[in-house]
Amino acid sequence: QSKQAGRNRYTFFDSVLDRKERTKRTRLERIQSGLAQGEFILYYQPKIDMRTHEVVGLEALIRWNHPEWGMLLPGRFLPDVEGTELAIPLGEWVIETVLKQQELWLSHDMELPVSINISGEHLQQAEFLERLTKVMNRHSTVPGRLIEFEILETTALNDISRVSDIMTACQKALKVRFALDDFGTGYSSLTYFKRLPAETLKIDQSFVRDMLQDPEDLAIVQGLIGLTTAFQRNVVAEGVETLEHAAALLEMGCFLGQGYGFSKPMPADKVEKWVAEYHQDNRQPRVSSIPQL
Ligand code: C2E
Ligand code: MG
Ligand code: MG
Ligand code: MG
């Protein structure tokens, strides 16, 4: 009797797991077919030098233009992809799309570095450098220094020396750059910062958002800026939404910012006009160093 019940229970749990697995697989298949059918699109968000009001770069951010559900943010579909084999084709699509876009912009004389968010699976894939070299050779008008990869601290969690070697090899061979994204939110220890050869650190938007109300967040922002200065790395603040944010960051010595205060991410075909207008509007010398948002 009880043996029988135990067996039934197993059967019950097995089928729940099966069902979860099946729906995840269905969602992955849907993402895969969406990729094949061109439903993914990259938006771009400008990065600003808040001293000079110059656009100094762009970050590519993926969206899924779903035929039924509309424009989906990465939070809606990337968690399904993470840790699966689909992370690599999706990531390669992002890289190739950015390179094509860069070719077009360069042919229009717009030369701005573009940052690409890259997953841990993708970066740590065997032959990452070889495959990146091939695609960059196919788009050889784009110099490596105009491509930056943003990695999360969790990317290096399991093997910091391997990730550091991959980064160094890419920097040497292709002149591409690296940034540590969302810094301070993961399991980061300062060892990551020291041992990973990223040129740039991006302060997570959660610290920037609250720094004017929360003295501890302000101290974190200040500390990270001090750290990057001491290590001679660049620092970018994410989530700059207000004039007050920008002014405080400038005062603390962080000159580069990204956020809704400057622009939300926009489709590629809006970028050139936006950059031209932003520069036009800010051409007059400023009496103060307080940025125009
Ligand atoms: P992230 O790389 O840290 O990108 C910044 C996110 O913050 C973006 O969200 C951006 O739209 C949003 N953001 C920018 N400025 C502000 C602001 O002032 N206020 C607020 N509240 N938010 C702001 P998004 O596009 O939803 O992307 C979320 C995350 O998805 C990214 O975080 C990145 O980790 C990941 N992601 C995006 N595109 C890709 C991709 O092509 N590949 C990979 N592997 N991950 C990606
Ligand atoms: Mg990023
Ligand atoms: Mg970030
Ligand atoms: Mg993020």
PDB file of all heavy atoms in Angstrom, residues 59 61 117 150 181 202 238, ligand 2:
ATOM      1  N   GLU A  59      25.619  51.591 -26.398  1.00  0.00           N
ATOM      2  CA  GLU A  59      25.495  50.210 -25.936  1.00  0.00           C
ATOM      3  C   GLU A  59      24.366  49.534 -26.699  1.00  0.00           C
ATOM      4  O   GLU A  59      23.265  50.077 -26.802  1.00  0.00           O
ATOM      5  CB  GLU A  59      25.205  50.148 -24.430  1.00  0.00           C
ATOM      6  CG  GLU A  59      25.000  48.699 -23.950  1.00  0.00           C
ATOM      7  CD  GLU A  59      24.836  48.551 -22.428  1.00  0.00           C
ATOM      8  OE1 GLU A  59      24.809  49.576 -21.716  1.00  0.00           O
ATOM      9  OE2 GLU A  59      24.736  47.381 -21.981  1.00  0.00           O
ATOM     10  N   LEU A  61      21.509  46.864 -27.059  1.00  0.00           N
ATOM     11  CA  LEU A  61      20.623  46.151 -26.126  1.00  0.00           C
ATOM     12  C   LEU A  61      19.560  45.398 -26.929  1.00  0.00           C
ATOM     13  O   LEU A  61      18.854  45.990 -27.753  1.00  0.00           O
ATOM     14  CB  LEU A  61      19.981  47.152 -25.158  1.00  0.00           C
ATOM     15  CG  LEU A  61      20.988  47.839 -24.216  1.00  0.00           C
ATOM     16  CD1 LEU A  61      20.447  49.154 -23.675  1.00  0.00           C
ATOM     17  CD2 LEU A  61      21.386  46.899 -23.068  1.00  0.00           C
ATOM     18  N   ASN A 117      26.820  43.363 -24.830  1.00  0.00           N
ATOM     19  CA  ASN A 117      26.717  42.540 -23.623  1.00  0.00           C
ATOM     20  C   ASN A 117      26.942  41.089 -24.020  1.00  0.00           C
ATOM     21  O   ASN A 117      26.315  40.587 -24.947  1.00  0.00           O
ATOM     22  CB  ASN A 117      25.330  42.695 -22.994  1.00  0.00           C
ATOM     23  CG  ASN A 117      25.120  44.094 -22.459  1.00  0.00           C
ATOM     24  OD1 ASN A 117      25.640  44.447 -21.395  1.00  0.00           O
ATOM     25  ND2 ASN A 117      24.395  44.914 -23.214  1.00  0.00           N
ATOM     26  N   GLU A 150      30.813  43.908 -22.700  1.00  0.00           N
ATOM     27  CA  GLU A 150      30.446  44.089 -21.299  1.00  0.00           C
ATOM     28  C   GLU A 150      30.191  42.726 -20.688  1.00  0.00           C
ATOM     29  O   GLU A 150      29.387  41.946 -21.198  1.00  0.00           O
ATOM     30  CB  GLU A 150      29.185  44.956 -21.188  1.00  0.00           C
ATOM     31  CG  GLU A 150      29.400  46.348 -21.754  1.00  0.00           C
ATOM     32  CD  GLU A 150      28.280  47.321 -21.392  1.00  0.00           C
ATOM     33  OE1 GLU A 150      27.317  46.917 -20.721  1.00  0.00           O
ATOM     34  OE2 GLU A 150      28.391  48.489 -21.803  1.00  0.00           O
ATOM     35  N   ASP A 181      30.294  45.007 -16.181  1.00  0.00           N
ATOM     36  CA  ASP A 181      28.941  45.560 -16.129  1.00  0.00           C
ATOM     37  C   ASP A 181      28.323  45.334 -14.748  1.00  0.00           C
ATOM     38  O   ASP A 181      28.682  44.379 -14.059  1.00  0.00           O
ATOM     39  CB  ASP A 181      28.100  44.840 -17.194  1.00  0.00           C
ATOM     40  CG  ASP A 181      26.919  45.657 -17.661  1.00  0.00           C
ATOM     41  OD1 ASP A 181      26.674  46.743 -17.102  1.00  0.00           O
ATOM     42  OD2 ASP A 181      26.240  45.202 -18.597  1.00  0.00           O
ATOM     43  N   LYS A 202      31.549  49.628 -15.028  1.00  0.00           N
ATOM     44  CA  LYS A 202      30.258  50.307 -15.068  1.00  0.00           C
ATOM     45  C   LYS A 202      29.574  50.169 -13.717  1.00  0.00           C
ATOM     46  O   LYS A 202      29.311  49.068 -13.247  1.00  0.00           O
ATOM     47  CB  LYS A 202      29.366  49.714 -16.167  1.00  0.00           C
ATOM     48  CG  LYS A 202      29.970  49.901 -17.563  1.00  0.00           C
ATOM     49  CD  LYS A 202      29.015  49.477 -18.654  1.00  0.00           C
ATOM     50  CE  LYS A 202      28.014  50.576 -18.943  1.00  0.00           C
ATOM     51  NZ  LYS A 202      27.157  50.215 -20.106  1.00  0.00           N
ATOM     52  N   GLU A 238      25.832  54.027 -14.779  1.00  0.00           N
ATOM     53  CA  GLU A 238      24.582  53.638 -15.426  1.00  0.00           C
ATOM     54  C   GLU A 238      23.416  54.298 -14.705  1.00  0.00           C
ATOM     55  O   GLU A 238      23.531  54.663 -13.538  1.00  0.00           O
ATOM     56  CB  GLU A 238      24.363  52.130 -15.325  1.00  0.00           C
ATOM     57  CG  GLU A 238      25.463  51.264 -15.863  1.00  0.00           C
ATOM     58  CD  GLU A 238      25.052  49.793 -15.835  1.00  0.00           C
ATOM     59  OE1 GLU A 238      24.715  49.279 -14.761  1.00  0.00           O
ATOM     60  OE2 GLU A 238      25.066  49.184 -16.921  1.00  0.00           O
TER      61      GLU A 238
HETATM   62 MG    MG B   2      25.504  46.353 -20.286  1.00  0.00          MG
END
